[in-house]
């Protein structure tokens, strides 16, 4: 072992002072190996270490510490050591003092490695076209030059210095400052022998040299359990999927013609474990309980409120900060992948709510990430959302658009998710959304349309269509913006579906009226068909309708207990036979009494009451009937699939319509929205013969009065509604009755 002397402080470069003060912006110019004549000088900063040796093969060289500063310097007799070969040229043995003696850490030198990200990666990041950011930025375990470790990379173009900090370096930002790749504003560093499971954040100095709050990684693929806010190095081992058949079949489906009955779920409160501190279920437990429940109820898809990591549970996930990481509240990323895999193997699709419209201003998050308004607009008239006290993404910036699109693809490609429901699209489309005069900035043409957001949504949907065949992108959009589900080539936004908020508001408003007054609001139930084929629609009875003082779905219904339940059953029958895909929030399927509370389970105890079990059984039977009968879903997006039979009987509050599909029997739905039974109510039909009463929401099995048509009715040669034949029906009180013509 040999020892080298170190020159005096006055002869050391100015970088040493910057290093010690945490202001070294170009660490590779000072730390690591550097040619020094016929030798190589090595500098490493290990504050708190007792000694550091550099080993070159069998030879060990002790590095000298300069003035107890933690900076160790020595000369290695290995000649000119090119940076790209330095990793295999020497290792460091770092002696850390402890109560029981020194602990020696063996590691390669992070500053002995060459450039990490390729020029194409950097070009695509700057262009906003890197679709694999989750495998480029963030923390990626990998092997470089035969050395295992983790590569870190983060976009922070306006920072003076960026460091990786964590338990592995005592959260000391001087220990692992990163290299800046100027052309993309990306900082990078490979830390040898650092693996999955390590906690980390980024420490940044802004352009003025101010130390910012520690920042979580925007592209972290795993996080700490909230309320902790650190990022976690996720394993690089790919998940072993077993859903090849599902994925192949999904890619071949025609979505508009397929049945789609969605069970909307808040993963944190679907089933709380009271005996264990009221905790939520993890992904494994949800797989054991939720998957068989949803399948047994006949739903085709699960849709989760956002599961992307979010600091505040009370936001229900709608204020996420980790757009690439499943929340640690429910387990690891691999556990979520396993849940999706189980869903697919059971025949159940998975949709996630996804929030690209805004993000919270938490200090550890994206807000002023590098000391500037990097992800958000600087002008609060564009960058601050008054309704939610959140910040709005700058859709006009390439890197921000690329960040969001890569996030969407992360869920669709790497987690095999079947669809994304994009939250708050209306707030993205309009610059004056929820703003008064003078509180918003017009677009370049002086209009209210957010042209940058429109371009982003089109690019998003084109990217998904190209890379993820069969995946659905669904808009929560509540305005009359044209072409939300139109093709991008036709100047549409390119979504697969749009939530029909107008239908939901109109029909719930109608149902809230006392039946004696419904004759004056008949149009609320029929108006949806005026525009039913202007877009591809989902009929949503979502979480938004059972919170914030709106009451439960059952609570919106008028009358005594019997009438409330009957009204709800009739409404569900109307909804399931109406054109449009279906979505129902958890608890609504059995007539929950109270509003949804994210800290408590739905009121499962109500299933001890046969009336509520009847509601649940009705939803199950409606789902199975809906999936089994092509007329109820195959022509959802075509006007030829629907015909009013009775749409104008406001005096009796009766509605009747036929659902049709080629090569399948017609389905006739008749709704009586008053508590008055109607006998011999004549309905014209195109075909004679016997019509089976396939489902009656007033059946005793559902908690009704069991009035009906004895299971079937035969057509009479009596003209009605433009048809030569008709059915004389008994319409139970507050009911929907569904008929299908018997074949053969």
């Amino acid at each position: 072992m040999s020892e080298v002397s170190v020159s005096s402080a006055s002869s050391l470069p100015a970088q040493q002072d910057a290093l010690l003060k945490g202001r070294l912006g170009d660490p590779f110019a000072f730390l690591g190996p550097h040619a020094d004549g016929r030798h190589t000088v090595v500098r490493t900063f290990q504050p708190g270490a007792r000694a550091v040796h550099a080993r070159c093969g069998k030879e060990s060289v002790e590095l000298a510490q300069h003035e107890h500063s933690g900076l160790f310097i020595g000369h290695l007799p290995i000649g000119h050591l090119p940076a790209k070969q330095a990793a295999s040229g020497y290792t460091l043995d770092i002696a850390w003092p402890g109560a029981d003696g020194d602990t020696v850490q063996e590691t390669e030198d992070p500053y002995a490695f060459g450039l990490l990200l390729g020029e194409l990666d950097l070009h695509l990041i700057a262009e906003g076209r890197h679709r694999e950011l989750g495998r480029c930025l963030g923390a990626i375990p990998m092997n470089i030059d035969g050395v295992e470790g983790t590569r870190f990379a983060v976009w922070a173009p306006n920072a003076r210095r960026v460091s990786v900090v964590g338990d592995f370096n005592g959260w000391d930002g001087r220990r692992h400052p990163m290299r800046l790749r100027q052309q993309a504003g990306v900082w990078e560093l490979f830390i040898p022998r650092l693996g999955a499971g390590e906690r980390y954040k980024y420490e940044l100095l802004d352009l003025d040299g101010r130390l910012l709050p520690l920042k979580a990684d925007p592209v972290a693929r795993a996080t700490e359990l909230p309320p902790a806010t650190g990022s976690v190095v996720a394993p690089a081992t790919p998940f072993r999927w077993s859903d090849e058949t599902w994925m192949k079949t999904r890619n071949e489906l025609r979505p508009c013609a397929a049945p789609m009955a969605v069970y909307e779920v808040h993963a944190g409160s679907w089933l709380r474990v009271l005996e264990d501190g009221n905790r939520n279920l993890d992904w494994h437990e949800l797989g054991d309980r939720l998957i068989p429940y949803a399948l047994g109820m006949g739903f085709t898809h699960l849709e989760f409120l956002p599961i992307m990591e979010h600091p505040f549970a009370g936001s229900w996930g709608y204020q996420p900060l980790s757009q690439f990481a499943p929340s640690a509240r429910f387990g690891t990323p691999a556990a979520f992948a396993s849940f999706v895999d189980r869903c697919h193997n059971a025949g159940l699709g998975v949709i996630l709510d996804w929030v690209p419209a805004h993000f919270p201003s938490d200090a550890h998050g994206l807000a002023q990430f590098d000391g500037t308004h990097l992800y958000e607009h600087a002008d609060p008239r564009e960058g601050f959302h008054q309704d939610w006290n959140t910040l709005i993404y700058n859709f006009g910036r390439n890197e921000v658009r690329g960040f969001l699109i890569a996030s969407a693809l992360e869920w669709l490609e790497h987690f095999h998710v079947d669809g994304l429901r994009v939250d708050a699209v209306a707030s993205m489309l309009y610059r004056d959304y929820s703003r008064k005069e003078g509180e918003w900035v017009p677009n370049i043409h002086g209009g209210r349309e957010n042209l940058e957001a429109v371009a982003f949504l089109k690019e998003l949907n084109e990217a998904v269509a190209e890379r993820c065949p069969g995946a659905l992108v669904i808009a929560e959009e509540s305005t009359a913006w044209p072409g939300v589900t139109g093709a991008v080539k036709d100047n549409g936004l390119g979504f697969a579906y749009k939530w029909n908020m107008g239908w939901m508001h109109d029909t719930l408003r109608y149902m809230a009226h006392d039946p004696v007054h419904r004759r004056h609001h008949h149009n609320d139930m029929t108006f949806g068909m005026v525009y039913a084929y202007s877009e591809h629609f989902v009929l949503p009875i979502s979480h938004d309708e059972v919170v914030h003082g709106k009451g439960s779905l059952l609570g919106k219904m008028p009358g005594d207990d019997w009438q409330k339940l009957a009204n709800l059953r009739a409404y569900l029958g109307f909804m399931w036979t109406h054109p449009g895909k279906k979505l129902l929030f958890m608890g609504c399927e059995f007539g929950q009494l109270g509003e949804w509370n994210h800290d408590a389970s739905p009121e499962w105890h109500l299933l001890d009451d046969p009336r509520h079990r009847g509601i649940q059984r009705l939803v199950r039977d409606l789902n199975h009937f809906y999936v089994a009968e092509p007329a109820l879903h195959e022509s959802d997006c075509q006007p030829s699939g629907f015909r009013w039979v009775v749409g104008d009987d406001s005096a009796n509050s009766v509605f009747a319509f036929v659902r049709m599909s080629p090569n399948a029997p017609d389905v006739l739905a008749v709704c009586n929205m008053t508590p008055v039974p109607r006998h011999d109510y004549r309905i014209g039909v195109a075909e004679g013969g016997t019509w089976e009463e396939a489902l009656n929401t007033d059946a005793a099995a559902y908690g009704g009065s069991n009035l009906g048509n004895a299971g079937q009715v035969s057509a009479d040669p009596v003209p009605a509604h433009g048809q030569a034949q008709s059915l004389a029906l008994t319409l139970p009180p507050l009911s929907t009755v569904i008929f299908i013509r018997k074949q053969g």
Side-chain angles (χ1 to χ4, degrees), residues 20 114 192 199 494 496 512 552 556 611 616 625-626 662:
L20 297 179
R199 298 191 304 158
S552 67
K556 299 178 193 301
R611 299 173 300 174
Q616 184 190 50
F625 185 70
Y626 163 72

Side-chain angles (χ1 to χ4, degrees), residues 209-264:
R210 290 188 294 261
L211 188 65
L212 301 176
L214 292 182
K215 296 288 188 177
D217 190 342
V219 190
R221 293 181 297 122
T223 65
E224 288 188 278
L225 178 67
T229 58
S231 302
V232 173
V233 179
T237 307
F239 181 77
R240 296 184 63 179
W241 294 92
S242 62
D243 63 348
E244 295 83 1
T245 300
W246 171 274
M247 296 298 286
K248 183 177 184 297
T249 303
R250 187 196 78 178
N251 295 349
E252 296 171 351
L253 282 178
R254 294 182 298 121
C256 272
M260 185 174 170
V262 181
Y263 186 45
E264 190 190 29

Side-chain angles (χ1 to χ4, degrees), residues 257-260 576-582 622-636 641 657-661 664-669 738:
M260 185 174 170
W576 253 255
T577 50
H578 192 283
K581 308 310 180 186
K582 325 300 176 191
L622 282 169
N623 274 332
H624 287 296
F625 185 70
Y626 163 72
V627 170
E629 293 302 326
L632 291 179
H633 57 258
E634 280 192 350
S635 299
D636 255 340
F657 50 88
V658 175
R659 298 295 308 280
M660 299 164 285
S661 182
D666 293 352
V667 173
L668 169 67
I738 306 172

Side-chain angles (χ1 to χ4, degrees), residues 380-506:
R381 295 176 299 168
E382 297 181 280
F384 183 73
H385 207 299
Q386 300 178 31
D387 288 353
W388 303 312
N389 294 320
T390 51
L391 301 175
I392 300 171
Y393 287 105
N394 183 351
F395 302 113
R397 185 156 196 167
N398 291 343
E399 297 91 341
V400 174
R401 290 198 312 274
F403 167 79
L404 290 170
I405 293 172
S407 164
L409 294 172
E410 180 81 7
W411 302 102
L412 296 171
E413 292 184 331
H414 294 286
F415 287 108
H416 288 203
V417 165
D418 302 290
L420 298 174
R421 175 270 203 181
V422 182
D423 182 64
V425 171
S427 75
M428 301 169 66
L429 293 175
Y430 298 98
R431 287 175 164 266
D432 64 345
Y433 181 88
S434 197
R435 296 179 186 272
K436 299 175 183 177
E437 187 67 32
E439 295 180 345
W440 58 282
V441 179
N443 63 34
I444 58 173
H445 305 298
R448 60 195 286 255
E449 299 82 7
N450 189 330
L451 303 179
E452 294 80 9
V454 170
F456 160 71
L457 292 171
K458 290 181 177 181
E459 185 181 353
L460 164 71
N461 286 317
E462 285 185 313
V464 171
E466 177 186 353
R467 296 176 64 104
C468 309
L472 306 173
V473 186
I474 303 164
E476 186 214 16
E477 205 286 310
S478 56
T479 75
W481 186 282
V484 172
T485 57
V488 173
K489 65 180 177 62
D490 298 326
N491 203 33
L493 296 182
F495 286 95
Y497 293 106
K498 169 181 171 173
W499 274 20
N500 195 337
M501 312 293 281
W503 175 92
M504 178 271 298
H505 286 302
D506 290 348

Side-chain angles (χ1 to χ4, degrees), residues 295-355:
L295 284 173
M297 287 296 295
F299 288 102
T300 64
H301 291 74
L302 292 171
E303 179 173 326
F304 288 100
L305 277 60
I307 64 160
M308 302 79 192
E309 192 63 271
H310 47 285
F312 176 48
S315 78
W316 314 331
Y318 289 102
Q319 294 193 12
L321 271 179
S322 292
Q323 290 281 28
F324 291 73
S327 175
R329 294 173 175 88
F330 313 112
T332 65
F336 173 63
S338 178
F339 175 84
V340 175
D341 199 48
R342 291 176 68 181
C343 284
H344 287 174
N345 282 297
L348 197 60
V350 178
I351 300 169
L352 301 181
D353 283 8
W354 180 65
V355 187

Side-chain angles (χ1 to χ4, degrees), residues 92-315:
L92 299 174
D93 292 331
I94 308 168
W96 301 101
D100 298 323
D102 290 351
T103 299
V104 177
Q105 174 192 4
E106 179 183 348
T107 183
E108 289 72 24
D109 190 341
Y111 300 97
F113 291 83
L115 300 177
L116 302 175
L117 296 180
E119 294 298 320
L120 179 59
D121 283 325
L122 297 173
H123 172 76
L124 291 174
I125 291 170
E127 289 288 312
R129 300 280 180 178
H130 203 304
R131 302 309 190 213
E132 291 277 350
L133 279 186
R135 302 303 178 272
C136 176
L137 300 182
I140 313 294
M142 60 177 56
N143 184 297
I144 297 180
D145 296 338
V147 178
E148 298 290 340
T150 297
R151 185 191 73 193
F152 295 87
V154 62
W155 178 56
N158 303 304
R160 176 179 289 188
R161 188 261 294 170
V162 180
S163 298
V164 186
V165 295
D167 298 322
F168 50 87
N169 61 15
W171 299 88
D172 186 344
R174 302 173 301 166
R175 291 275 303 277
H176 288 104
M178 306 173 79
R179 173 200 284 124
L180 175 62
R181 304 297 297 276
Q182 291 276 1
Q183 61 267 50
V186 171
W187 299 76
E188 63 178 18
L189 185 69
F190 178 72
I191 302 182
R193 309 197 187 197
L194 193 70
E198 290 282 356
R199 298 191 304 158
Y200 72 98
K201 283 187 177 181
Y202 294 115
E203 182 181 278
L204 298 89
L205 293 183
D206 69 10
L207 280 175
D208 295 325
R210 290 188 294 261
L211 188 65
L212 301 176
L214 292 182
K215 296 288 188 177
D217 190 342
V219 190
R221 293 181 297 122
T223 65
E224 288 188 278
L225 178 67
T229 58
S231 302
V232 173
V233 179
T237 307
F239 181 77
R240 296 184 63 179
W241 294 92
S242 62
D243 63 348
E244 295 83 1
T245 300
W246 171 274
M247 296 298 286
K248 183 177 184 297
T249 303
R250 187 196 78 178
N251 295 349
E252 296 171 351
L253 282 178
R254 294 182 298 121
C256 272
M260 185 174 170
V262 181
Y263 186 45
E264 190 190 29
V265 171
H266 178 249
S269 61
W270 181 74
L271 187 62
R272 292 272 185 167
V273 185
L274 291 174
E275 302 81 5
D276 193 7
N278 196 38
R279 69 170 178 86
N280 58 261
L281 301 184
D282 61 25
W283 288 120
H284 177 75
E285 294 167 317
L286 284 165
D288 290 343
R289 304 290 295 272
L290 176 57
I291 292 175
Y293 177 77
L295 284 173
M297 287 296 295
F299 288 102
T300 64
H301 291 74
L302 292 171
E303 179 173 326
F304 288 100
L305 277 60
I307 64 160
M308 302 79 192
E309 192 63 271
H310 47 285
F312 176 48
S315 78

